[in-house]
Amino acid sequence: MTARTEGERATTDTNALVRAMSQWIDGSPENRARTPEALLWGRVAKVAEESGEVIAALVGATGQNPRKGVSATMRDVERELLDVALTALCAVEHLHAADDAPTDVMALLAAHAESVARRAGLA
């Protein structure tokens, strides 16, 4: 299998996982009872909540709280950053839940990264 084929498979698998997680969140008993607007607000608020966890991990990794000292690692910071990214991708997937065809959130991410890189003069 070529690297490109492996990468394409990984992207397909990641899209499927993001879709499955998003559907799992929307399908929970608590969320099934919510209005569409409440679901969207919950998804976006969760991204902000996860961002707070990154800050807490960074404070812990750098020992900024003298009472706690060093209580986390940079690996913890990395995991929390990835949680933010995954939560945001699941929220994007949620925005497209009613679309006729599955949304390629990884392609949306790639296109956005390219757009930002162009604005920065990098692409």
Side-chain angles (χ1 to χ4, degrees):
M1 184 176 292
T2 67
R4 180 151 173 78
T5 304
E6 288 174 15
E8 289 170 351
R9 192 184 91 240
T11 297
T12 300
D13 292 349
T14 303
N15 275 312
L17 289 171
V18 168
R19 188 173 310 110
M21 285 184 274
S22 184
Q23 290 170 348
W24 175 72
I25 293 166
D26 284 345
S28 73
E30 298 84 0
N31 283 336
R32 281 196 311 256
R34 298 189 205 295
T35 66
E37 184 176 358
L39 279 173
L40 179 58
W41 274 95
R43 289 304 195 86
V44 174
K46 182 65 176 167
V47 175
E49 187 263 338
E50 292 291 344
S51 296
E53 291 183 20
V54 173
I55 298 301
L58 184 59
V59 165
T62 57
Q64 294 296 314
N65 183 341
R67 186 176 55 81
K68 293 182 179 179
V70 175
S71 58
T73 66
M74 285 301 168
R75 177 70 178 118
D76 295 323
V77 174
E78 178 183 276
R79 265 192 302 269
E80 295 300 341
L81 285 166
L82 291 170
D83 280 350
V84 172
L86 186 56
T87 302
L89 289 171
C90 284
V92 170
E93 174 66 35
H94 171 80
L95 289 174
H96 294 278
D99 291 358
D100 291 336
T103 299
D104 186 343
V105 293
M106 299 311 292
L108 292 175
L109 177 61
H112 185 68
E114 187 176 317
S115 173
V116 172
R118 269 197 314 275
R119 290 196 317 260
L122 302 171

